[in-house]
Amino acid sequence: LLGRNGAGKSSLIRVLSGLQAQTAGEIWIENTPLSKLKLQEIAQKVAIVLSDKPQTEYLTVYETVAFGRTPYLNWQGKYNSEDKKIIEKSLEITHLQEFSNKYLHTLSDGERQRVMLARALAQDTPIIILDEPTAYLDVYYRKQMMSLLKKIAHEQKKCILLSTHEVDLALELADQLILVNLKGEFQCLETWQQDTVHTFLEI
């Protein structure tokens, strides 16, 4: 999802994930209107990673990632062997096993962003939505994060939607582009030319 500041990318992200009510139209997930789903059902279908810095600074990486299993816990709130297996797998995919017992406030921005992605993976949903996941990252970690997301989407057959200002990275790595300009107009592209993208976003 590409667009300039003020185009409404973050608002759209929040609406699609059920965090903000839509003002018109209807959102369907797997043949069911989003408005008909309970919060727990939404949490089992859509994982979201917002651009805000995490508020779990004094939790360990493992504890933070384990929060992703919350929609599946029983009334006792205990993790079973399957939960633990999924948590460990999420840490492995994001290359965080060695950070498992470290506290979030000791990590770099790039490492913390991977933790948030690992938490979303632990939620084990068919859809992952990320609002500017590269916002606080330097050039190296931006490319690393985007490449990791593409790998996860292809290997695990997940639908991953992310908003970004990184036009060049999106052109290089995205399977599909959704452009939104300041007029609120949308254009979906599966093949594109850089000039076409930049021209539309400037409208």
Side-chain angles (χ1 to χ4, degrees), residues 131-147:
D131 188 13
E132 298 193 34
T134 60
Y136 302 109
L137 309 184
D138 60 26
V139 174
Y140 171 78
Y141 281 116
R142 288 175 194 169
K143 178 66 177 288
Q144 185 185 65
M145 173 63 73
M146 295 283 275
S147 297

Side-chain angles (χ1 to χ4, degrees), residues 68 99 114 168 175 186:
F99 297 92
R114 275 193 284 147
D168 292 338
D175 295 311
F186 285 84

